[in-house]
Amino acid sequence: FVTSEVAAGFGAAEVTARATVANDGAAPAIFDLEQTILGPDGRSLATRTLTGLTVAAGERTEFTTVLPVAQPALWSVETPQLHRLVTVVRAGGAEVDRYETPFGIRTLRFDPDHGFFLNGRRVTLKGVNLHQDHAGVGTAVPDALIEFRLRRLREFGCNAVRTAHEPPSPAFLDACDRIGFLVIDENRLMGTSPEQLGQLEAMIRRDRNHPSVILWSVGNEEWRIEGNILGARITAAMQAFARRLDPTRRSTVAISGGWG
């Protein structure tokens, strides 16, 4: 999980990298954890190494590293600059695991009087509600067709998408990151059962490193619970749950009626 805090004036950023290391072996593991940020041009911008770490057999532990980045290239609609966090686990001097995480450095802010701000600049969301299907292919949408569709929408002046009405494919969010689309990432089922919260958790954990995602939507048009206390309580519980998994974004819910 990669998050960033950008200084006033955007001259520097602090990137916080949280990595969970699992030990599937039968004995305690001793290892070093190296994390490196690569800029949009592939150059190394910062590296930190944690040494002498341990994880007990059958356990998993989260480790946190803070890396400074000077003069960060910000991700935006016009210039969707992407960085990569390279996480390497070494044991006994040998590399035993490597994971690369694309991410973007940017700031989000919603103002009740003035709207949405990206990197301190007000941006009007001009968007569509996009189902993940297409003529001729159904829901098995090829990656190239996803990119074609987004680029056509950009020609129409579109800069935002609400995914309808389930988590989108990873390829879709990758394309939004590259092209510079803003995304409201939508969960399928509303509720507070372990299964329903588990589905919301899986979506947030999977998608929270995408800079294109600016909001979580916890559900869509659940008419029976719109405009009543049951819906208000379920929504509040789901929003609080989402906030614990990702404190960097707010969450909404798609409501079509029932206001009374």
Side-chain angles (χ1 to χ4, degrees):
F1 183 26
V2 189
T3 61
S4 56
E5 291 287 336
V6 183
F10 306 105
E14 280 194 344
V15 175
T16 300
R18 298 171 179 86
T20 299
V21 179
N23 178 9
D24 295 332
I30 302 175
F31 58 94
D32 298 337
L33 184 69
E34 177 189 276
Q35 294 186 303
T36 301
I37 295 176
L38 303 180
D41 58 2
R43 290 188 302 113
S44 175
L45 302 179
T47 300
R48 288 285 185 273
T49 302
L50 304 178
T51 60
L53 304 176
T54 61
V55 175
E59 298 295 327
R60 57 179 55 218
T61 305
E62 182 181 83
F63 300 94
T64 300
T65 307
V66 178
L67 302 100
V69 177
Q71 301 299 321
L74 300 182
W75 186 94
S76 69
V77 172
E78 298 81 12
T79 56
Q81 308 259 29
L82 289 172
H83 295 69
R84 277 182 296 153
L85 175 75
V86 181
T87 301
V88 177
V89 179
R90 290 190 175 90
E95 181 177 312
V96 296
D97 201 5
R98 170 183 290 258
Y99 196 88
E100 293 196 8
T101 306
F103 71 99
I105 298 175
R106 48 100 176 102
T107 66
L108 305 177
R109 180 168 66 88
F110 286 89
D111 185 279
D113 299 314
H114 302 290
F116 171 68
F117 289 78
L118 179 66
N119 300 327
R121 184 175 67 86
R122 186 181 181 278
V123 176
T124 300
L125 303 180
K126 302 175 183 178
V128 296
N129 179 36
L130 197 62
H131 292 246
Q132 187 166 295
D133 54 17
H134 200 280
V137 296
T139 58
V141 185
D143 295 358
L145 187 52
I146 290 172
E147 184 146 340
F148 164 80
R149 183 187 231 181
L150 288 171
R151 293 196 182 280
R152 289 291 287 165
L153 286 170
R154 174 55 56 83
E155 292 175 13
F156 302 157
C158 180
N159 66 5
V161 168
R162 170 176 154 245
T163 66
H165 301 286
E166 64 273 332
S169 70
F172 176 84
L173 292 179
D174 288 343
C176 289
D177 289 344
R178 290 193 309 270
I179 298 171
F181 265 80
L182 304 168
V183 177
I184 301 175
D185 200 350
E186 191 157 88
N187 176 57
R188 173 61 191 95
L189 293 174
M190 294 192 71
T192 56
S193 72
E195 179 184 3
Q196 290 161 326
L197 289 180
Q199 290 182 15
L200 177 62
E201 179 176 2
M203 179 186 78
I204 292 175
R205 287 190 182 276
R206 188 196 72 167
D207 297 347
R208 61 188 178 180
N209 290 318
H210 288 278
S212 56
V213 176
I214 62 170
L215 280 169
W216 305 112
S217 172
V218 299
N220 167 70
E221 295 182 323
E222 299 285 357
W223 293 334
R224 181 174 172 269
I225 60 173
E226 286 186 3
N228 58 48
I229 190 61
L230 176 62
R233 288 173 174 169
I234 289 173
T235 301
M238 294 183 78
Q239 287 179 317
F241 182 77
R243 192 74 168 171
R244 289 193 293 273
L245 290 167
D246 177 17
T248 71
R249 297 176 181 88
R250 296 187 176 275
S251 55
T252 184
V253 61
I255 296 177
S256 61
W259 289 99

